[in-house]
Amino acid sequence: MSVGRAATRVDTPAKATGRARFISDVVVPGMVHAKLWRSPVPHARILRVDPARAARAEGVLAVLTAADLPVKDLYYGPAFKDQPMLADGVIRYAGEPVVAVVAETAAQAEAALALVAVEWEELPTVATLDAALAPGAPVLHARLVPAAHFRDLTALRPIPSTNVCHHWSYARGDVDRGFAEADLVVEQTFTFPMVHHYSLEPHCAIARVDGHGITVWASTQHPFPVRKELAEIFGLPLARVQVIVPYLGGAYGNKSYTKIEPLTIALALRVKRPVRLALTVEEAFKTVRRAAVRYRLKTGVRRDGTLVARDCEIHYQLGAYADVGPRVVQKSAYTAAGPYRIPHLRINAYGVYTNTVVSVAFRGYGVPQLAWAYESQMDVIAERLGWDPLALRLLNVLKRGEPLMEGDLPIDCDFAEGLGKAAAQIGWNEPTAAPRRGKGIACTIKAPLAPSVSSAMVRMHADGSATLLTGTVECGQGARTALSQIVAEELALPLDRVRVARSEVGMSPYDQATSASRSTTLMGLAVLRAARDVRDQLLTIGARLLESERPALTLRDERIVSPRGERTYGEAVAAHFGTGGELIGRGTYRGERGHAPLGGEAPFWEVGMAAAEVEVDGDTGRVRILRYVSVADIGRAINPRECEAQEEGAAMMGIGHTLFEQMIYDGGQLLNPSLIDYRVPVMSDLPEEYRSILVENGDGPGPYGAKGIGESGLIPTAPAVANAIARAIGVRITDLPMTPERVWRASDRARRRAAPAEGPST
Amino acid sequence: MLRPFELCEPASVAEASELLLRHGEAARIYAGGTELILAMKEGLIHYDYLVNVKTVPGLAGVRLDADGSLRIGAATPHRVLERDPSVSERFPAIARMEADVANVRVREVGTLGGNLCFAEPHADPGALLQVFDATVRLERKGGARTIPLERLFVGPFETCLEGDELLTEIVVPPLAPRSAAVYLKFGFLERPSVGVGVAVTLADGHVADARIAVGSVGPVPRRMRDAEARLQDRPVADSEAALAEAGRIAARASDAITDLHGSAEYKEHLVGVLLRRAFQAALAAVAGSERR
C-alpha cells in the first residue's frame, strides 16, 4: 500500500543535500545577463530614453527599450493583453521596467543601469481605490484587448472610460424584500491589504533562441499557458517553444501565467546569446502581489437566526495591469456569501486598476479577502442576536447535497462534522483559562479551477520500473510524491521504483496549471488513468503468459500473480516485445463544461475551517495565538503528512496577513519592499499549540476519493483570529492586518467609550 | 547587488587606524557586517575598502575586572555575550538582551562594537548599556580616549568617532548592591520598535537610584534623567504612582517619530508601558535575589 501512507517525499534527499536543481543552478553555455531599469515614479509619460552612456559601459551588449524589442506583440496577459514587456511610452507604476540592459555579467549590467538616462513627465497618480474610482480620475487603460485565454472570461465587462476593468455581478431572489423581512440588518465594510507572496526564490528566466526555436528555463507554475502565449508573441508553432521548469523555490500563485519570459526571450533574440534575467526579492515585491479588497457586506437575518438576504459590494484593488485579476474577481466573488443558505443574494464585484504593483494569483485566489468579511460578520450577527457563533453557523451552513449555486456541484462535504471537530479540539464550550483570552471559529469555501484539463503518461520500462510524465510543477507542495504514490499504488510498485520526469512542455503531456489545489485530485486522475492503462496492458499480457482469465489475475509486489503462477513485470515486458521495449499508459482528465453561472462545474469544493484561541495584551495590542486548529475536508489523504504540512504552511501564511503583512504605499511609492520592513511569519510566530485535522470521507472526485488541499488552510485564519480577539476583549477589528497598534487603538477607543468619565481627558 | 570592494585585514588597531586615515571616506570598518553588508547590497552606501577588525588580535573577548567591571572587546559577537557565564551571572540583563538581538545568524557574526558604531536607531544594546553607565574606549594610531557610551551616539547612523578612530572596548561597571537591571523591547518588524532599559537600586525601602534609557523610538538611544528624577528617593511603595508620570516624561523626551514601526503616539504610549513593566520587573528581581 502506497496511498494513505506518510511516505517520505521523493524530493527530500535531493533537496536536503543541495543536489536538487533549481533555476539558479541552471547555466546555459554562453549566457549573458539582463538587469532592468525600473521607474521611480508611479505614473508618467516617457519623453526620452538615452541609452548611449550605458551602452558604452564595460561588458554591455545592449540597452533596449520597448521600441527595440523584436516581437509581434509587445503586450501580454491572461485576461487582457494590457501589460507591455517594457513600458511603452507610459509608466503605470513605480517599479515598472522601462529599459533592459544586457551585459556579459550581472554586475556589469547592474552597474550600467546607473548610466541609463530617462526623461519623463509625471501624470496624476491613482494609487488607491478611492482615487481610481473618483469621477474624472485619470483612466489607466483607454482600450482593453481581451486575451481570450479562459473560456469563463469571454464575458469580460470593463466599465468604459473608468478604471474598472471587470464588473461581475450575480443575483438571486429579491434582496430588497429579503432585507424587509429581516429582523436584524448588519452592514459593515472590511478591508484586506496588499500583500506579497514572498517565495524564497524570486522570478527567473533563461532564454535561448536557436534554429530549433525558443527554449526557456522558467520559474513558472503554468508552463503550458506560458508556451501558448510565447508562441503567439513570437509567431512560432507550439512545437517550437520549449518551456523547462526545474524545481520551484515556492510559488503560491506568484509564478502563475506569463511573467518575465517574453522579455527575456526578446532580449535573447536581440543580442543573439542566451540571456538570463533573475529578479531580486525587492524586484519580486515590485512585480507581484495579492489584490487588496474593500468589501461592503450587508446581511439580513431573522430573529430565529436564519440568514435571509445578503448584499455584497466588493472592490478589488488591482494594480497597473490586470494579469489574472478579473478572473480572481469573479472566481472569488462567486463564493462571496460564504457556505451558507441565503435565499436572497446580490453580488457586485469590481476589479479596479490603480498605479500600484500588479496583483496576480495568490494562494486562495481572492477568497481569503472575502472570507475575512463574511466570517467576521457571522460573529457580529451572533453577538447582536445573543447567539453562540458556532450554533449560528451550524444553523445556516449548507448541508451535503444542497446547492451553493444553481447548476453547480451541490455541497460535497459535511460542514457540521468539520466544525464539530474544530470546536471539540479548541475546547469551544470550556471557559478560557485567563482573562483577555478568547476563542474564535471560521468556516469557508472556495471554488476550484473549472473546467480544466490534465494529461499524464506512465512508461513502464523493461525492468518493471516506471517513469511518470506529468506537466505538474513541483513547487514544494509535494506533488511529485503524491502522484508517485498513485502510480506505485496502481502498479504495486515500491515508491523508489517510480520516478517523475522533469516537467518540460516538449516532453510532458499537457497540463493546464499547477494551481487551485488541483494537482493531486485532477492531475491525479490523469495519472491514475495512465497507470491503470499500464495495469490493463500488464494484465492482458499476463493472461496470455499465464494462460489465465484476466479476472483471476492481480498485481502484487512487482509481479503479475495468478493461481497458475506469476511473472515479474520485467519478464512480462520482455515476453511481450521479445526484446527491450516498454509499456506506455495514457490518462486524461477533462472537466465538465456545466451550466453553472461561471460555466465550468466545480469538480469539488475546497473547504477550510479553523478555530483559534488568542490572548491579547491590552496595553500593547499584541495578539498571541495560543492554540490553532485547522480542519480540511479532503476526501482522502494520499499522503497524510504532506496534507498536514500543506495545512500548517497555509495557516502560517494566513497568520502573516492576519497579524502583520502589508505592502505600505505612500502615494504611488511602495515603502517596504524588503524583508526588513515587510514582516513575514517566522518560527517564533507559530501558535503555541497547533493541530491540523483531516476529514476523510472518501467523497472527492479524485483518486481514491481525494479532494484538493493547499489553499483551504489560509482562508479561515484571519476571521478565526479576529473572532477570537473580539471575544477576548470585546473589540471588532475590520481592517487587516491586526497589528499591535491597530488592536491597541481599537481597544483604547472601546475603553474610552465604555468609561468616558474615567482617566485624564487629554 | 553587492558591488566589489577590497577587504583589508590589519594585524593591529594602529594598522586599522592607518588604513582608515589613508582611504578616508572610501573605507569603513567591518565588524560582522550584518547591517553594513545589507545596506551595501541595497545600494544605499558603498565603500571601496572594508577594514576587517574581527581578525585583529585582542579585540574580541570578555573579562571581569578586579572591581567587577565587565570589559567587552568591541569585536565580541553577540552570541558570545549571550552565552558567557560571567555575563549571565553578573550582568544577567545584558545576557538576556543579547540573547534576543535579531536572530541567531546575526548574533553569531554581528558584534557589540559593530552594533554600537553603526548607530542604527532601532537596536537594543545602546539603550540597555546606558543604564549601567557604560563607557567606550576609542583608539586611533597614537592616542586613545574613553567617553560615556551615551556620548558616542550623535544621530541616526552617526557617532562621534573621528575618521581614523576605532571603538576598541566597552566597559560596563557593576550596579551597586541591591540593584537590578531589566531591558524590555517591543516590535513586530525585523528590528525593535521600542526598547526601554531600567536599573534600580534600593535602600531602606526607598528607590536610591533609578536609571532609565529609551532606544529605537528616537534618533539615538538616550538616558531619561528627568523621568529618573521622578522615581528617585521615593519609598518603593509610592513608586507605582510616580511611574505613570515618569513614563509620560520619558515618552515626551524620546523624540518619537511616525514610521513603518508605528505612529509616534503609539510609540510614546509603549515607552510608558515598557517603563512600568521594566521597573516592576527590576523591583521583583531585587526582591528575588534577596530571598535567595
Side-chain angles (χ1 to χ4, degrees), chain A residues 35 106-107 110 282 617 619-622 660 664 671-672 674-677 679 739-741 744-745, chain B residues 1 38 41-42 185-191 248 260-263 265-266 269-270 273-274 276-277:
Chain A
K35 289 280 175 185
E110 170 106 354
E282 179 169 342
D617 180 337
D619 288 337
T620 64
R622 162 105 67 204
F660 25 71
I664 299 171
L671 300 183
N672 58 341
S674 83
L675 293 186
I676 298 293
D677 296 322
R679 170 75 147 78
T739 58
E741 178 163 1
W744 169 72
R745 280 190 184 283
Chain B
M1 183 176 265
L38 196 64
K41 266 189 191 164
E42 297 280 322
K185 66 171 166 181
F186 189 86
F188 69 103
L189 298 177
E190 182 63 23
R191 297 196 179 93
R248 273 192 289 277
L260 295 173
H261 290 262
S263 69
E265 182 196 5
Y266 179 55
H269 164 76
L270 287 176
V273 171
L274 295 189
R276 187 180 75 239
R277 291 180 180 180

Side-chain angles (χ1 to χ4, degrees), chain A residues 666-743:
Chain A
D666 180 13
Q669 294 293 341
L670 176 60
L671 300 183
N672 58 341
S674 83
L675 293 186
I676 298 293
D677 296 322
Y678 181 92
R679 170 75 147 78
V680 297
V682 296
M683 284 311 228
S684 54
D685 298 314
L686 273 169
E688 287 173 24
E689 190 184 312
Y690 175 89
R691 179 81 194 277
S692 57
I693 296 172
L694 305 176
V695 178
E696 294 186 69
N697 291 323
D699 47 5
Y704 322 106
K707 298 180 206 174
I709 186 174
E711 298 172 278
S712 57
L714 93 168
I715 297 173
T717 311
V721 171
N723 292 341
I725 292 172
R727 283 156 61 90
I729 59 169
V731 168
R732 171 60 51 184
I733 294 170
T734 53
D735 302 303
L736 288 179
M738 295 181 280
T739 58
E741 178 163 1
R742 238 177 213 159
V743 175

Side-chain angles (χ1 to χ4, degrees), chain A residues 523-582:
Chain A
M523 173 56 85
L525 279 180
V527 169
L528 181 91
R529 288 165 186 166
R532 285 189 177 165
D533 187 359
V534 171
R535 180 190 169 89
D536 267 357
Q537 296 174 49
L538 280 173
L539 291 175
T540 303
I541 296 167
R544 200 172 65 237
L545 294 179
L546 295 166
E547 297 175 348
S548 303
E549 293 298 314
R550 268 189 54 152
L553 297 176
T554 53
L555 302 186
R556 199 161 64 220
D557 297 336
E558 304 179 69
R559 287 174 157 76
I560 309 165
V561 180
S562 90
R564 311 180 59 156
E566 56 180 51
R567 291 284 190 283
T568 66
Y569 296 162
E571 288 164 353
V573 173
H576 180 65
F577 290 104
T579 174
E582 66 180 18

